[in-house]
Amino acid sequence: MKNDLNYAVELIKKADGLLITAGAGMSVDSGLPDFRSSGGFWNAYPPFQAMGLGFSQVATPNFYLEHTEQAYWFFAHRLIQYRNATPHEGYQILKRWGEQMKHGYFVFTSNVDGHFQKAGFDNKRIYEVHGTLERMQCFHNCQGKSWSSAEFQPIVDDEHYRVISPKPICPDCGGMARQNVMMFDDWFYCDYYYRFKEVALEEWLRKVGNLVVIEIGAGKAIPTVRNFSERTAKQKKGGFIRINPQDAGVPKMHFLSLEMGALEALRALDNILNLDRNS
Ligand SMILES: NC(=O)c1ccc[n+]([C@@H]2O[C@H](COP(=O)([O-])OP(=O)(O)OC[C@H]3O[C@@H](n4cnc5c(N)ncnc54)[C@H](O)[C@@H]3O)[C@@H](O)[C@H]2O)c1
Ligand SMILES: [Zn+2]
């Protein structure tokens, strides 16, 4: 089913729990690049293209060892970009809908930008399946710990692809620290912090009787979010709404897709909901 806003509103109105699942497209309307689109962030890193390196080679622990300066710059540059951006109004719309439901909301996202927290969502209800740049860990994961990146306020030299300020270090072993984000070939990734969120999400799902899944801006290349969304909606016999301007296809007849940008779709749905409530 395609672009049926009224049907989407019916699914939201009857739900007692809102599962928000989000990929990089959710942050595009906040002015942040997604990943693989033509305006995506991968095309914005000419130094790596010049080195003949693809994302799957740069986003690796090995790149930290072989090109330490550029690896830290890449981490810090994105962190600064995300911190400088403000989550768009669609986040508030989702939060309001979720808070009005009996069991509230839960967020499942592959985004690493920390924008659900920044928009005021409850951190206990956000499962960041690939980690977040707002946390750090020991490069070698010496104690299986991660910690907040808040104190890491890097200064970057974008011309020479370097971090000028001190690089983060592990408080336990004194070695290198890095972002707590799952990279490729990442045998050192520390998922400790997120496993609690995963369990909390499972418990929450068990309580919800009438689920609606709203999936926003999740791409096809790394389909973690798309697969989880479809599987969960199916298992819970819940409603399913996919919001995506380019990759809106859905596998089942009763799954709904809105071929629109995140903010445009959420505003349109919110207008109908408000009209319904006021009539
Ligand atoms: N903001 C972030 O945190 C961020 C940004 C880029 C990449 N990543 C990482 O890269 C991986 C990439 O996977 P992905 O699927 O999230 O990204 P992706 O770039 O592969 O896919 C983005 C999707 O968003 C859609 N989109 C584009 N503009 C949109 C808009 N205005 N509204 C709604 N949807 C829009 C695109 O059609 C596409 O399907 C993830 O693992 C993630 O960790 C994170
Ligand atoms: Zn350490």
Side-chain angles (χ1 to χ4, degrees):
M1 217 178 296
K2 216 171 162 186
N3 293 338
D4 190 339
L5 290 166
N6 289 317
Y7 179 57
V9 164
E10 287 313 309
L11 293 176
I12 296 165
K13 277 200 322 203
K14 73 173 190 198
D16 64 359
L18 170 64
L19 177 62
I20 301 155
T21 63
M26 176 63 182
S27 290
V28 166
D29 293 328
S30 309
L32 291 173
D34 67 357
F35 183 45
R36 288 184 175 76
S37 305
S38 55
F41 85 73
W42 191 236
N43 296 315
Y45 287 96
F48 303 136
Q49 285 169 350
M51 289 159 91
L53 296 172
F55 186 61
S56 58
Q57 287 145 323
V58 171
T60 60
N62 213 30
F63 191 71
Y64 266 90
L65 298 175
E66 289 176 358
H67 303 277
T68 309
E69 294 298 328
Q70 286 103 324
Y72 274 109
W73 173 78
F74 184 46
F75 163 28
H77 178 84
R78 286 180 67 198
L79 182 65
I80 292 169
Q81 188 180 31
Y82 294 159
R83 283 180 177 169
N84 285 343
T86 304
H88 61 77
E89 185 202 331
Y91 283 85
Q92 296 307 326
I93 293 173
L94 286 167
K95 185 163 161 287
R96 182 159 33 82
W97 293 348
E99 285 171 350
Q100 283 163 359
M101 292 182 196
K102 183 178 169 201
H103 297 291
Y105 60 77
F106 217 105
V107 177
F108 176 98
T109 184
S110 62
N111 289 352
V112 297
D113 55 23
H115 273 210
F116 280 97
Q117 284 92 340
K118 199 170 183 181
F121 284 75
D122 179 356
N123 183 45
K124 291 197 288 297
R125 289 171 173 259
I126 305 169
Y127 173 28
E128 289 148 317
V129 67
H130 292 165
T132 170
L133 287 180
E134 288 296 350
R135 291 190 74 77
M136 288 213 265
Q137 63 163 90
C138 172
F139 182 81
H140 288 108
N141 195 15
C142 68
Q143 299 291 323
K145 286 202 290 214
S146 64
W147 60 92
S148 164
S149 304
E151 283 177 22
F152 182 51
Q153 298 288 339
I155 303 168
V156 290
D157 172 357
D158 288 339
E159 211 177 309
H160 301 99
Y161 315 121
R162 299 243 177 305
V163 176
I164 308 165
S165 51
K167 295 185 184 65
I169 52 166
C170 169
D172 292 305
C173 69
M176 285 165 52
R178 50 160 262 204
Q179 72 273 36
N180 185 212
V181 166
M182 190 197 286
M183 298 189 269
F184 295 94
D185 299 324
D186 198 351
W187 316 121
F188 298 125
Y189 175 63
C190 172
D191 69 351
Y192 180 74
Y193 179 77
Y194 310 99
R195 268 188 268 141
F196 290 101
K197 312 284 198 85
E198 188 180 11
V199 172
L201 170 55
E202 279 164 15
E203 280 175 358
W204 178 81
L205 278 171
R206 271 197 289 275
K207 280 190 269 179
V208 174
N210 214 334
L211 181 74
V212 63
V213 180
I214 305 187
E215 180 205 276
I216 306 167
K220 287 174 163 171
I222 305 174
T224 317
V225 174
R226 290 174 85 95
N227 291 348
F228 176 77
S229 310
E230 289 174 14
R231 195 172 65 238
T232 308
K234 204 170 148 202
Q235 273 167 4
K236 293 286 296 178
K237 299 188 172 49
F240 179 92
I241 304 165
R242 169 165 287 153
I243 299 175
N244 196 314
Q246 280 124 42
D247 298 324
V250 282
K252 292 176 71 115
M253 288 305 284
H254 63 270
F255 278 12
L256 174 67
S257 74
L258 302 178
E259 216 165 43
M260 303 162 89
L263 183 54
E264 182 194 6
L266 294 169
R267 271 191 184 144
L269 294 171
D270 201 41
N271 283 340
I272 302 175
L273 271 164
N274 288 337
L275 283 175
D276 278 10
R277 287 205 176 103
N278 296 333
S279 64

